[in-house]
């Protein structure tokens, strides 16, 4: 019969051996008998689905399982939404992983939707040109071109302004008209909105924030049907957010006019924006109103553009309005400024200070 001391040593040895075997089994160092393997699998399964079990290891196992399930249900947005919500509740790294997958899938769908929307917008433009009547749009654009060849205030008032107003009536439409006229757009948008519910739940952002700018650009560019125009407007969209709202409105409005009369939109050049803002500030601070600056190194528009790290091909200045659209209207009715805005430029900068405006081209 063992002594009490011997019994204690023996019991400790058995427990230590059992713990070692359990640790080795957990790490895969030894293979358990089938019955024990089955029990282990059941225990792990319970741990994965029982929220009372905590710890990084269990959370990691739970996350991997749910991610696998999420990938399986690619045709079931409702099921994916529920799985994503569970993954979000697990915190990092599961939340980061599911967000990355959701945004990747959503971006693919948005790209496909944008292509469909662009084609539908082009069709709306074609329908509106047909509805206007044979040769009507070409005649109106020729009236603007005729004004550019013989630019006077009288001719702007007689030919260009009426032509522009009629072009707006015939050709301007919003994204809602594209959605209304195209079943393909409506169907694809509905599927996109369903998928985007998961993204909204994860980020608290709206689908409109992603697709509205692309829809707006496609609607504008469809008027002249140019891939280059779409590329310019898409690039501009990212830069407009960096501008004063009225500066942005002025650039948007001028590009709308150029597209309506059959010209390419102008690309925003932030260096020209810097030079424009600088000149507007100088005119206010030093109390002058001229293309010729009294400040050293800033005498001409070309000097100011060079100082900002770019080149310029023209400049307009205006005073007396707080509105970007108002500045464009003022320049439109002035022959020299009119020709500048509809000139063969590629780039634009617009900068304000109070009621003083500078518009530069490159």
């Amino acid at each position: 019969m063992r002594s009490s001391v011997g019994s204690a040593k023996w019991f400790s040895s058995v427990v230590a051996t059992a713990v070692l075997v359990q640790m080795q089994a957990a790490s895969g160092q030894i293979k358990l008998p089938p019955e024990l393997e089955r029990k282990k699998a059941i225990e792990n399964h319970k741990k994965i689905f029982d929220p009372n079990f905590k710890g990084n290891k269990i959370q990691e196992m739970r996350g991997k399982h749910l991610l696998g399930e999420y990938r399986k249900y690619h045709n079931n947005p409702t099921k994916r939404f529920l799985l994503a919500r569970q993954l979000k509740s697990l915190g990092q790294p599961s939340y980061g992983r599911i967000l990355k997958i959701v945004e990747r899938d959503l971006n693919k769908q948005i790209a496909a939707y944008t292509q469909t929307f662009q084609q539908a917008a082009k069709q709306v433009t074609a329908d509106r040109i047909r509805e206007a009547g044979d040769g009507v749009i070409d005649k109106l654009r020729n009236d603007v071109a005729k004004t550019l060849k013989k630019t006077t205030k009288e001719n702007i008032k007689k030919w260009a302004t009426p032509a522009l107003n009629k072009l707006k009536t015939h050709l301007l439409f919003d994204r809602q008209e594209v959605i209304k006229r195209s079943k393909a757009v409506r169907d694809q948008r509905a599927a996109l909105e369903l998928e985007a519910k998961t993204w909204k739940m994860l980020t608290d952002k709206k689908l409109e924030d992603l697709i509205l700018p692309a829809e707006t650009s496609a609607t504008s560019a469809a008027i002249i049907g140019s891939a280059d125009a779409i590329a310019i407007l898409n690039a501009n969209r990212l830069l407009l957010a960096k501008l004063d709202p009225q500066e942005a409105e002025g650039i948007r409005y001028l590009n709308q006019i150029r597209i309506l009369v059959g010209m390419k939109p102008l690309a925003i050049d932030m260096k020209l924006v810097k030079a424009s803002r600088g000149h507007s500030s100088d005119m206010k601070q030093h109390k002058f109103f001229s293309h010729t600056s009294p400040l050293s190194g800033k005498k001409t528009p070309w000097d100011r553009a060079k100082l900002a790290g770019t080149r310029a091909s023209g400049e307009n200045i205006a005073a007396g309005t707080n509105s970007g659209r108002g500045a464009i209207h003022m320049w439109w009715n002035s022959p020299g400024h009119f020709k500048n805005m509809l000139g063969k430029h590629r780039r634009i900068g617009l900068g304000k200070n109070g009621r003083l405006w500078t518009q530069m081209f490159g």
Side-chain angles (χ1 to χ4, degrees):
M1 194 171 175
R2 294 186 182 91
S3 67
S4 59
V5 174
S7 295
K9 287 182 178 179
W10 174 81
F11 182 73
S12 297
S13 176
V14 170
V15 170
T17 303
V19 170
L20 179 61
V21 169
Q22 191 176 23
M23 290 174 63
Q24 290 174 330
S27 64
Q29 292 179 33
I30 64 171
K31 186 171 178 64
L32 292 174
E35 183 62 21
L36 291 179
E37 283 283 5
R38 190 178 71 81
K39 286 182 179 179
K40 180 186 172 186
I42 291 172
E43 287 175 6
N44 284 340
H45 190 270
K46 286 180 179 178
K47 287 178 182 179
I48 290 173
F49 292 100
D50 188 345
N52 293 320
F53 281 97
K54 304 294 182 183
N56 293 338
K57 185 70 176 176
I58 297 302
Q59 296 289 70
E60 181 77 9
M61 292 168 65
R62 227 174 251 152
K64 286 182 179 178
H65 174 79
L66 291 172
L67 279 171
E69 291 293 295
Y70 183 89
R71 291 187 177 97
K72 284 197 307 188
Y73 289 98
H74 57 275
N75 289 325
N76 190 334
T78 302
K79 181 70 174 177
R80 283 160 73 93
F81 176 88
L82 297 173
L83 289 165
R85 187 164 61 185
Q86 291 181 65
L87 282 157
K88 181 182 179 182
S89 71
L90 295 177
Q92 296 293 0
S94 296
Y95 171 70
R97 288 169 181 165
I98 189 59
L99 181 60
K100 186 176 180 180
I101 292 170
V102 168
E103 289 186 334
R104 181 196 65 201
D105 293 347
L106 188 62
N107 285 333
K108 286 181 181 178
Q109 285 186 267
I110 289 173
Y113 171 76
T114 301
Q115 290 290 328
T116 302
F117 191 94
Q118 287 173 357
Q119 292 302 317
K122 288 179 182 178
Q123 185 58 53
V124 172
T125 298
D127 292 343
R128 280 176 158 259
I129 290 173
R130 187 182 64 253
E131 291 161 8
D134 289 342
V136 170
I137 302 302
D138 287 340
K139 180 184 180 303
L140 293 172
R141 287 175 171 169
N142 284 337
D143 283 346
V144 177
K146 182 167 61 176
T147 308
L148 280 169
K149 290 179 180 177
K150 194 173 181 180
T151 310
T152 63
K153 282 188 176 182
E154 292 75 19
N155 287 343
I156 291 171
K157 185 177 180 179
K158 179 181 176 182
W159 296 327
T161 300
L164 178 62
N165 290 336
K166 289 177 184 177
L167 285 166
K168 287 178 180 179
T169 300
H170 289 308
L171 296 180
L172 284 186
F173 57 91
D174 62 18
R175 64 194 186 91
Q176 292 299 336
E177 184 168 346
V178 180
I179 295 169
K180 182 179 178 181
R181 290 199 185 204
S182 172
K183 184 178 183 301
V185 167
R186 291 196 303 275
D187 290 346
Q188 218 167 324
R189 204 176 202 278
L192 190 58
E193 287 171 348
L194 193 61
E195 192 70 31
K197 285 182 179 179
T198 300
W199 181 72
K200 182 181 179 182
M201 178 270 296
L202 292 172
T203 64
D204 201 30
K205 295 178 182 178
K206 297 178 181 178
L207 177 64
E208 291 294 307
D209 297 335
L210 292 180
I211 64 173
L212 176 59
E215 289 177 339
T216 304
S217 295
T219 301
S220 298
I223 296 172
I224 58 173
S226 164
D228 288 346
I230 293 175
I232 291 169
L233 292 176
N234 283 337
N236 281 358
R237 187 177 74 234
L238 302 176
L239 297 173
L240 287 169
K242 298 180 180 181
L243 304 182
D244 173 275
Q246 288 304 317
E247 292 172 347
E249 177 61 17
I251 290 175
R252 269 194 297 261
Y253 185 47
L254 176 56
N255 273 339
Q256 181 187 90
I257 291 172
R258 288 179 63 93
I259 288 170
L260 283 169
V261 302
M263 297 177 175
K264 282 186 181 180
L266 299 169
I268 296 172
D269 181 342
M270 292 304 294
K271 292 178 180 178
L272 284 178
V273 170
K274 180 181 177 181
S276 298
R277 287 173 174 171
H279 189 56
S280 294
S281 297
D282 288 343
M283 287 193 293
K284 182 176 183 180
Q285 183 179 351
H286 298 279
K287 298 180 174 26
F288 72 95
F289 183 72
S290 171
H291 293 288
T292 303
S293 173
L295 302 179
S296 177
K298 295 183 175 182
K299 184 176 181 180
T300 69
W302 335 123
D303 294 332
R304 296 188 285 274
K306 185 178 180 181
L307 199 62
T310 187
R311 293 182 178 181
S313 54
E315 182 184 78
N316 288 340
I317 57 174
T321 180
N322 290 316
S323 157
R325 188 173 285 250
I328 300 300
H329 281 305
M330 292 171 73
W331 288 320
W332 175 268
N333 292 301
S334 170
H337 302 102
F338 175 92
K339 292 187 77 169
N340 247 348
M341 291 196 299
L342 299 185
K344 295 181 179 179
H345 311 292
R346 295 183 178 180
R347 297 171 290 116
I348 185 173
L350 184 63
K352 72 183 289 284
N353 190 299
R355 294 166 67 83
L356 288 164
W357 292 82
T358 303
Q359 181 183 53
M360 298 186 76
F361 302 98

